[in-house]
Amino acid sequence: MEETLSIIKPDGVGKKIIGTIFKRFEDAGLEIVNIKRLTLTTEKAGEFYYMHKDRPFYPELVKFMTSGPCVPFVIKGENAILKVRELMGATDPSEADAGTIRADFADSIDKNIIHGSDSKESAEREISFFFD
Ligand code: CMP
């Protein structure tokens, strides 16, 4: 059993697809074991994405992630980290496989609906970032 952290970003909340996204994970046999809805401050968003701080897209990323409420949640299941990443699709929706969340709903690489931890280490850090 593995746990991973996902965030429905402000565009996903704005498009009212929280339920649709949860259903995709549940239909894939995964369990949602913790959920929050909050608006990130600039400081918290910057801290969450600190590994990208030198990338050109970082200022836009922080601005977007603080632009409205987001929904961080914890997903549990066998190979949850990989399964969640497969269900999300590629970071750039134009490269995402058909039927994935990003292919179906995302407008661009910047506004790509959802985040998911990319490794066991990230999952641990990201879960404790949002949940005690
Ligand atoms: P996410 O999985 O939340 O992790 C960092 C985010 O930065 C990523 O999704 C994208 O929304 C955004 N981003 C914008 N440009 C890029 C890029 N060139 N490479 C990776 N991520 C990018």
Side-chain angles (χ1 to χ4, degrees), residues 96-132:
D97 290 342
T100 60
I101 293 167
R102 286 169 171 157
D104 288 348
F105 303 110
D107 294 330
S108 68
I109 191 168
D110 299 305
K111 294 187 171 64
N112 66 351
I113 299 284
I114 189 163
H115 166 84
S117 308
D118 63 5
S119 66
K120 259 189 198 315
E121 294 69 35
S122 306
E124 266 173 36
R125 180 184 83 86
E126 294 178 1
I127 290 169
S128 52
F129 186 90
F130 286 108
F131 299 94
D132 293 334

Side-chain angles (χ1 to χ4, degrees), residues 7 13 25 38 63 70 84 90 98 130:
I7 307 173
V13 175
F25 291 129
L38 52 90
K63 197 168 150 198
C70 66
V84 165
F130 286 108

Side-chain angles (χ1 to χ4, degrees), residues 1-131:
M1 279 294 166
E2 217 169 53
E3 285 191 351
T4 187
L5 188 278
S6 183
I7 307 173
I8 302 177
K9 299 185 180 185
D11 53 339
V13 175
K15 288 184 179 185
K16 297 190 165 47
I17 52 170
I18 296 171
T20 304
I21 292 171
F22 283 174
K23 183 160 167 43
R24 289 199 180 195
F25 291 129
E26 290 186 331
D27 286 350
L30 295 162
E31 198 179 350
I32 294 162
V33 295
N34 221 335
I35 308 169
K36 271 184 188 168
R37 184 185 194 272
L38 52 90
T39 303
L40 284 166
T41 60
T42 300
E43 192 190 4
K44 285 294 266 182
E47 189 189 332
F48 184 80
Y49 281 119
Y50 80 96
M51 70 295 286
H52 297 307
K53 69 177 177 3
D54 297 325
R55 307 285 296 273
F57 58 83
Y58 181 74
E60 267 311 306
L61 174 62
V62 171
K63 197 168 150 198
F64 170 60
M65 290 302 291
T66 57
S67 65
C70 66
V71 176
F73 59 109
V74 180
I75 306 167
K76 185 175 179 177
E78 216 170 292
N79 293 320
I81 296 170
L82 183 64
K83 273 191 195 161
V84 165
R85 291 182 71 78
E86 284 173 356
L87 289 163
M88 291 193 307
T91 306
D92 184 345
S94 68
E95 291 169 10
D97 290 342
T100 60
I101 293 167
R102 286 169 171 157
D104 288 348
F105 303 110
D107 294 330
S108 68
I109 191 168
D110 299 305
K111 294 187 171 64
N112 66 351
I113 299 284
I114 189 163
H115 166 84
S117 308
D118 63 5
S119 66
K120 259 189 198 315
E121 294 69 35
S122 306
E124 266 173 36
R125 180 184 83 86
E126 294 178 1
I127 290 169
S128 52
F129 186 90
F130 286 108
F131 299 94

